[in-house]
Amino acid sequence: MFYSDGKLQFPVVVETPDPLFARALQQAIGGIEGEIRVCMQYFFQAMGARGNPKFKDLLLNTATEELGHIEMLATAVALNLEGAPVGIKDDIAKDPIASAVLGGLNLKNILSSGMSAMPVDSDGVPFDMSHIYASGNIAADMTANVMAESTGRVLAVRLYHLTTDPGMKDMLQFLIARDTMHQNQWKAALEELGGDAGVFPIPNSHPQAEEKQEYSYAYFSHMLDAAPPEGRWTKGQSIDGKGEFSVVNSEPLGEKAVLGPARPNTGAQAEQL
Amino acid sequence: MFYSDGKLQFPVVVETPDPLFARALQQAIGGIEGEIRVCMQYFFQAMGARGNPKFKDLLLNTATEELGHIEMLATAVALNLEGAPVGIKDDIAKDPIASAVLGGLNLKNILSSGMSAMPVDSDGVPFDMSHIYASGNIAADMTANVMAESTGRVLAVRLYHLTTDPGMKDMLQFLIARDTMHQNQWKAALEELGGDAGVFPIPNSHPQAEEKQEYSYAYFSHMLDAAPPEGRWTKGQSIDGKGEFSVVNSEPLGEKAVLGPARPNTGAQAEQL
Amino acid sequence: MFYSDGKLQFPVVVETPDPLFARALQQAIGGIEGEIRVCMQYFFQAMGARGNPKFKDLLLNTATEELGHIEMLATAVALNLEGAPVGIKDDIAKDPIASAVLGGLNLKNILSSGMSAMPVDSDGVPFDMSHIYASGNIAADMTANVMAESTGRVLAVRLYHLTTDPGMKDMLQFLIARDTMHQNQWKAALEELGGDAGVFPIPNSHPQAEEKQEYSYAYFSHMLDAAPPEGRWTKGQSIDGKGEFSVVNSEPLGEKAVLGPARPNTGAQAEQL
Amino acid sequence: MFYSDGKLQFPVVVETPDPLFARALQQAIGGIEGEIRVCMQYFFQAMGARGNPKFKDLLLNTATEELGHIEMLATAVALNLEGAPVGIKDDIAKDPIASAVLGGLNLKNILSSGMSAMPVDSDGVPFDMSHIYASGNIAADMTANVMAESTGRVLAVRLYHLTTDPGMKDMLQFLIARDTMHQNQWKAALEELGGDAGVFPIPNSHPQAEEKQEYSYAYFSHMLDAAPPEGRWTKGQSIDGKGEFSVVNSEPLGEKAVLGPARPNTGAQAEQL
Amino acid sequence: MFYSDGKLQFPVVVETPDPLFARALQQAIGGIEGEIRVCMQYFFQAMGARGNPKFKDLLLNTATEELGHIEMLATAVALNLEGAPVGIKDDIAKDPIASAVLGGLNLKNILSSGMSAMPVDSDGVPFDMSHIYASGNIAADMTANVMAESTGRVLAVRLYHLTTDPGMKDMLQFLIARDTMHQNQWKAALEELGGDAGVFPIPNSHPQAEEKQEYSYAYFSHMLDAAPPEGRWTKGQSIDGKGEFSVVNSEPLGEKAVLGPARPNTGAQAEQL
Amino acid sequence: MFYSDGKLQFPVVVETPDPLFARALQQAIGGIEGEIRVCMQYFFQAMGARGNPKFKDLLLNTATEELGHIEMLATAVALNLEGAPVGIKDDIAKDPIASAVLGGLNLKNILSSGMSAMPVDSDGVPFDMSHIYASGNIAADMTANVMAESTGRVLAVRLYHLTTDPGMKDMLQFLIARDTMHQNQWKAALEELGGDAGVFPIPNSHPQAEEKQEYSYAYFSHMLDAAPPEGRWTKGQSIDGKGEFSVVNSEPLGEKAVLGPARPNTGAQAEQL
């Protein structure tokens, strides 16, 4: 069960409203790298967490924090939209600059939400909950979270360079710091789960005897007339410590697939029967 | 540019067609953990790769392999669908078992594709390319790939337990092995990029002086009346080696957000002006 | 069955084509507050209407009218797009204003539809028929319709303030009037179904003895350190006339949820078993 | 900012796991009538609330409660999935009943989430945040909320009739009661905003002199050879108290729309130029 | 503007309700081959039709007919759903056959629409209006329509083989006949537009001198170690009468693409700069 | 199985980066007329091809070519994005032209992909794989392909007119030529399958005796007070050579549809029972 005190986790101040920046901030709310994603991902991972309960607690706690980040960003979007032209008294019809600003907005931020934040990305595309990765495998979930916080911090840094507003820079410095923590936190969880050799290959509950092990550590090259790019992945011990990397020129092990003729009454052309 | 020899990377044999298993296999084609996802993700990451060209080569090469995995799985789906009831000569109307089989299918695999594979998941939901994570940051991309192969191998293992068909088990043993390799491969790429201390926090090009560092390694607790779950994330050196984990009871640093009244001509109620 | 006379319900005249306004008008076609939504919603509600047939007639009739509104708006979009730059003879490459106009468009209105309307919103997102609310409960459907016409009229008013074109203002004055009627019409249908006390709680066919009535009229407060916002919802008779509002500090009635360990062969990590 | 105590708002007990009921419950999580929808809708409405702050408080408070409802339902889904067949030891391959159960599931609840809840509906379709209606008009928002709770309670009642499990019936009795409250609460908010005559037509800030008032209360009949369905909507004072209902046979006020020829270089056929 | 007489274009009779067939019929309503698609496609093509007005009339007329097809199919779905189990009095909990039937449904047809049709496909996925192809090029539109009616008739034939109900077979015989007409009709429109030599390549307004004509009729072979599949496409005059087919082994005309290093402040890793 | 040589099929050169043109090019990657669509459509059609294997070879070969087209276009997008403003050193905050350029972009091309191509359309909407039409009927598939290449070439021509960059014009001249070939190629495949009289009506395996033949070649007129648009479709032999076109005034053959009352326990209002 959840509670709120109605306050912001960190102050949200906008000195000079910038409607175009409001549009950019929408990516941090409803983009695939945004805060709805992490909030809901940690929440649903918590809902499916089995095994040591501390991971469920960790997930639920961070989901709860992230909800407050959506709140901060939604406030920031509304404050930045204050500068948007919304009617003829704003002379947009005659003013090319105002037209450009209007044209540069997600129009839905005006037409659909009345100058407020929406759960959409910076191009007005609604967030789709299929992006909530909650696999039921605690280690796979942690890799998903490292990834989410990595792309999240990349996004926050890009936003940081698109604004000169001191309040917005402050808010982003806070959010970037939290992303630093969360990258480290999920990596720490993986370490607690056994580190690279203990965790990988995910799922570690599947006996490797049940895979075709001759292909488990082989780099298959599919490039014609070119050597494979040499790197840590072409030789030496594998990261999970369970094999040796090698390089193989990929060749088909199977034949051409041939489906039989179509069955009657399946809507095929007569020639296919 | 691309080429094909029209052959399968690994043999695809189905002894006893199982239409319900065909439905399950669809998740490995068009699910978020499936092969379209990895193929297109590595492809688009290659398209945006900057810096050392060997990462682009690595990505393009693996994308090319994955295309062959979609081919294998699509063949497997079609072969398993051979057992599906498609008309009255199959007596589905009178046979509750046949009805159950029909009811258990993605009907689109019959109605829409004529007993063939589709780019949809196991519940018939089409794959949506927003799942292609290609961030322009090579390390964030690698974390996305570790995650993709982790959830991918989890899925393959689940499929492995849903079939007793020897041909299908063989094919899945091959695919599970390739997922083992690819998990290791992307981890190896991260090691080559500097390992945990060199890579994190992602992006490493952003000076940490430009974040609120007092919050960069603090575990904020949002749980009422409960101690935080202790773990690697609550104390000791951070994983990136740049700070010390600590625990903080989260308290609001900001105040309640108050937007001003609505502007005229923005479609608000009169009471909001 | 349906018929057309090929004429517009109301004249659609554009004095000065404005491609950016064409983009805004798209929201009234393919936005969630738009005309495809109401047309198809009333249509599908009619298809599922049971009980007194006059509601089915009412729904089908209004669906038929709304189809004509899509027609008007699609015409308006095409006429406004006449002003869009489409090629080098329009000198967009060298003209920042033309670039801004082009940048401000849904590019698909040019690239995909050849300067015509599309079933997309003002940011180019296609309309998704999951927005067709047709519940099989006639009263719930009517509340959905009040809501659709309320957000629809809000949108029309916002559009009205974004144009100075007399033809467009005329057309919108007509559509705003129709939204006034339709808001009243669906409210009238609710009155005919029994008014607040007869209709609510929806569905009224479910005996309230089968709900936990001690929580049926209680305002649960989840705010820490803050009194609940007093209003009509905190005390007095409930709107449905079947209870008294009260205020309760929300406390958990349940315990922490604990799922068991993961089952074998479900792709979990070994630590979760 | 938000907090949690990690406990359930109401006990969630499942006596006999029923995987098919787990699938049905998914509709209450990720369906358009489900709890993610109300939670996020109230949250984003709060984010855009302007005017009297008590509406923002009301919205934020209820959003916070609804988050706990997702938590309850997600727990219920996981507990019901305990009965699902997941592997050959469950003999699904040979057992038509087990096959039917497996065929009746959202397979993603097994393949993708490992026997846990997902943010998808009962057919496995992910929730799409375009369903978050937050218009910036407080009265339109309240009509959206009445609708959401109406369809929500209809859904909960349907679920109630699909289970015989006492724990599930209990939980649903609680949720049905909360839907009763929330229907009443949002209706109460509309009453506080002025009731039907004060609130409608929404938005009430737009002067009706700026609409074509001759069409504002007219029922347009589009049915050939049939009288309009008589009702509260065909005569008498309008619900908003600002007009009289009348009936009009709808006739086109406009002419046939004719777009000009296609412009050169717009990809039309030569015949269209 | 549109009108209705409230009657069905063709009788819809269901002798024995079959909920699983209701699910299959949903594909003909909300599937990509279904009636919403053709209705809305012809409607929006009409909205963007330029040039000879008879094509606009043809499109609008057929759109109007198709609306009546949705009406027929939606009625058929509701009538077939009459047989669905909806509660404990239906003993689904104890009856494996009833469970199988319930499991075989789109649950949303019960939970979300109350035993009525929805604008979704046979797996419950909502129709998405991006499938409305209306290009602004009249010949491209006609090819889209030939395709829509081709896949539509394939679907109708498949449905025909999934039912033994005489009423349903009758209705489908009517719809299949209409698809025959519409395939012919759109082909006839292409003939009127000039036939293959006049129409192709689409758009015919673009001078072929402005394309790389050496590649305009060449079959590029991308298969390794395999001759191209010989056919009408490898030699002889091209279908548009403007060239001769030839076969070419595809070889790269370009070099490896190399993007420069990442720009500063774009969120890349330091190694990419 | 697939291979690559890492080279571009045709040179991709950008003399003057134009970020707005990058946005337009996105339509050719992730738009419904774009290259992902044709690539994946031909691929999945190949996966389901039954009957004469040369069609499978033809499809797979062309899919392989199209993958190289995505590669070319993605390279072109990245090169054009080089001109985009990404930070304060670009002075976008103070420069209205830079703001207009930024506003005219898909912001995700900066925020989400770091100045690279994405699998989205020109308005930032992700490609959705439901657009992959692969019906299992080889002739229906060929009509889908003619349509795809027709809308594809229309798009390429529109893009051609939006740029003055010589490198981009060159690349588009190549792609337009390939679309010419592919239109002809799929038309040639239809000819090989029997031409209009052999192929239509699709599917040709369904005996026309099983359709209501009196309606198979009748133009139904739904227009009130207007003669049908005369054309090849109103009289003369049908295109498939199996009937004669005629004109019929459409009249309802069925009655008004009446569903029975709602069943108990289905969540209807009491009035509907």
Side-chain angles (χ1 to χ4, degrees), chain C residues 29-148:
Chain C
I29 294 176
I32 60 169
E33 313 86 351
E35 302 284 358
I36 296 177
R37 190 259 176 99
V38 284
C39 175
M40 284 286 137
Q41 181 158 300
Y42 305 157
F43 180 88
F44 275 93
Q45 287 179 356
M47 293 301 105
R50 295 167 201 268
N52 190 330
K54 75 180 171 181
F55 292 102
K56 177 169 187 165
D57 290 351
L58 176 63
L59 288 161
L60 199 59
N61 183 69
T62 312
T64 308
E65 178 179 357
E66 302 289 6
L67 196 56
H69 294 186
I70 313 177
E71 194 180 24
M72 287 166 59
L73 285 158
T75 303
V77 165
L79 294 177
N80 273 293
L81 284 167
E82 287 295 325
V86 293
I88 37 174
K89 72 185 243 299
D90 301 288
D91 280 323
I92 49 170
K94 289 166 217 135
D95 177 355
I97 302 303
S99 279
V101 171
L102 191 62
L105 295 178
N106 280 347
L107 277 188
K108 284 199 291 287
N109 278 132
I110 293 183
L111 296 175
S112 202
S113 71
M115 314 191 71
S116 308
M118 298 182 74
V120 302
D121 75 11
S122 62
D123 297 320
V125 179
F127 184 71
D128 158 13
M129 298 287 273
S130 66
H131 283 272
I132 303 314
Y133 288 77
S135 69
N137 177 295
I138 192 72
D141 283 0
M142 293 304 120
T143 65
N145 299 352
V146 173
M147 178 273 227

Side-chain angles (χ1 to χ4, degrees), chain A:
Chain A
M1 205 171 94
F2 297 84
Y3 307 88
S4 175
D5 54 20
K7 297 185 186 153
L8 295 169
Q9 192 187 13
F10 191 86
V12 176
V13 179
V14 174
E15 288 199 6
T16 311
D18 175 355
L20 184 51
F21 192 60
R23 176 181 166 202
L25 285 171
Q26 280 287 160
Q27 187 70 17
I29 295 177
I32 60 170
E33 311 88 352
E35 301 284 359
I36 295 177
R37 191 257 176 98
V38 284
C39 174
M40 285 286 135
Q41 181 159 298
Y42 305 158
F43 180 88
F44 276 92
Q45 287 179 356
M47 293 301 106
R50 296 167 199 269
N52 190 330
K54 75 179 171 182
F55 293 102
K56 179 171 186 162
D57 290 350
L58 176 64
L59 287 161
L60 199 60
N61 183 67
T62 313
T64 308
E65 177 179 357
E66 302 290 5
L67 197 56
H69 293 186
I70 312 177
E71 194 180 24
M72 287 166 59
L73 285 159
T75 302
V77 165
L79 294 177
N80 274 292
L81 283 168
E82 287 296 323
V86 293
I88 39 175
K89 74 185 241 302
D90 301 288
D91 280 326
I92 50 170
K94 289 164 218 137
D95 177 356
I97 301 305
S99 279
V101 171
L102 190 63
L105 295 179
N106 280 348
L107 277 189
K108 284 200 291 286
N109 277 133
I110 293 183
L111 295 175
S112 202
S113 72
M115 314 191 71
S116 308
M118 298 182 72
V120 303
D121 74 11
S122 63
D123 296 320
V125 179
F127 184 71
D128 158 13
M129 299 286 274
S130 66
H131 283 272
I132 303 314
Y133 287 77
S135 69
N137 178 295
I138 192 70
D141 283 0
M142 293 303 121
T143 65
N145 299 353
V146 173
M147 179 274 226
E149 297 286 348
S150 297
T151 52
R153 195 169 179 274
V154 167
L155 171 61
V157 163
R158 285 173 181 154
L159 290 169
Y160 187 75
H161 289 293
L162 282 175
T163 183
T164 54
D165 188 277
M168 287 295 92
K169 283 192 118 49
D170 242 40
M171 178 190 78
L172 286 163
Q173 285 189 344
F174 177 78
L175 292 172
I176 290 168
R178 297 310 296 152
D179 288 343
T180 299
M181 173 59 191
H182 291 150
Q183 285 182 22
N184 277 276
Q185 167 182 312
W186 306 124
K187 290 286 297 179
L190 281 165
E191 198 169 306
E192 186 128 332
L193 285 163
D196 286 354
V199 159
F200 291 95
I202 294 174
N204 65 357
S205 62
H206 188 68
Q208 287 196 265
E210 300 271 324
E211 66 187 85
K212 302 278 177 205
Q213 289 180 275
E214 60 270 42
Y215 309 118
S216 295
Y217 300 99
Y219 181 90
F220 281 177
S221 177
H222 290 257
M223 303 307 282
L224 300 175
D225 312 317
E230 289 201 15
R232 181 67 186 80
W233 49 80
T234 46
K235 64 183 170 214
Q237 197 188 33
S238 67
I239 305 296
D240 62 15
K242 290 153 194 156
E244 286 285 318
F245 286 128
S246 66
V247 173
V248 175
N249 246 11
S250 195
E251 297 200 355
L253 302 161
E255 293 305 310
K256 218 164 153 172
V258 181
L259 306 183
R263 286 165 62 186
N265 298 336
T266 60
Q269 286 296 88
E271 289 74 11
Q272 297 179 274
L273 299 177

Side-chain angles (χ1 to χ4, degrees), chain C residues 3 5-11 32 37 54-55 57-58 60-61 64-65 75 78-79 81-84 86 89-90 114-115 128 130-131 133 135-137 140 143-144 146-147 150-151 153-154 157-158 160-161 170 173-174 176-178 180-181 183-185 187-189 191-192 196 200-203 206 208 210-212 215-224 229-233 238-240 245 250-257 259 263-266, chain D residues 3 5-11 32 37 54-55 57-58 60-61 64-65 75 78-79 81-84 86 89-90 115 128 130-131 133 135-137 140 143-144 146-147 150-151 153-154 157-158 160-161 170 173-174 176-178 180-181 183-185 187-189 191-192 196 200-203 206 208 210-212 215-224 229-233 238-240 245 250-257 259 263-266:
Chain C
Y3 307 88
D5 54 20
K7 296 183 185 154
L8 295 169
Q9 192 186 13
F10 192 85
I32 60 169
R37 190 259 176 99
K54 75 180 171 181
F55 292 102
D57 290 351
L58 176 63
L60 199 59
N61 183 69
T64 308
E65 178 179 357
T75 303
L79 294 177
L81 284 167
E82 287 295 325
V86 293
K89 72 185 243 299
D90 301 288
M115 314 191 71
D128 158 13
S130 66
H131 283 272
Y133 288 77
S135 69
N137 177 295
T143 65
V146 173
M147 178 273 227
S150 297
T151 51
R153 195 169 178 273
V154 167
V157 163
R158 285 173 181 155
Y160 187 75
H161 288 294
D170 243 40
Q173 286 189 344
F174 177 77
I176 291 168
R178 298 311 295 153
T180 299
M181 173 58 192
Q183 286 183 20
N184 276 276
Q185 167 181 314
K187 290 286 297 179
E191 198 169 306
E192 187 130 329
D196 286 354
F200 290 96
I202 293 172
H206 188 68
Q208 287 195 265
E210 300 271 325
E211 67 188 84
K212 303 277 178 206
Y215 309 118
S216 295
Y217 300 100
Y219 181 91
F220 281 176
S221 178
H222 290 257
M223 304 306 282
L224 300 175
E230 290 202 14
R232 182 66 186 80
W233 49 80
S238 68
I239 304 296
D240 63 13
F245 285 128
S250 196
E251 298 199 354
L253 301 161
E255 294 305 311
K256 219 164 152 171
L259 305 183
R263 287 165 62 187
N265 297 336
T266 59
Chain D
Y3 307 89
D5 55 20
K7 296 186 186 152
L8 295 169
Q9 191 187 13
F10 191 85
I32 60 169
R37 192 260 176 97
K54 74 180 173 182
F55 293 101
D57 290 352
L58 176 64
L60 199 61
N61 183 68
T64 308
E65 176 179 358
T75 303
L79 294 177
L81 283 168
E82 288 295 324
V86 293
K89 73 185 241 300
D90 301 287
M115 313 190 71
D128 157 13
S130 66
H131 283 272
Y133 287 77
S135 69
N137 177 295
T143 67
V146 173
M147 179 274 227
S150 297
T151 51
R153 196 170 178 272
V154 167
V157 163
R158 285 172 181 154
Y160 186 76
H161 289 294
D170 243 39
Q173 285 189 345
F174 177 77
I176 290 169
R178 298 310 296 152
T180 299
M181 173 58 191
Q183 285 182 22
N184 276 277
Q185 167 181 315
K187 290 287 298 179
E191 198 169 306
E192 187 129 330
D196 286 353
F200 290 96
I202 294 172
H206 187 68
Q208 287 196 264
E210 300 272 324
E211 68 186 84
K212 302 276 177 206
Y215 309 119
S216 295
Y217 300 99
Y219 180 92
F220 281 176
S221 178
H222 289 257
M223 303 307 282
L224 300 175
E230 291 202 13
R232 182 65 186 83
W233 49 80
S238 68
I239 305 297
D240 63 14
F245 285 128
S250 196
E251 298 200 356
L253 300 161
E255 293 306 310
K256 221 165 154 170
L259 306 183
R263 286 164 62 186
N265 298 336
T266 60

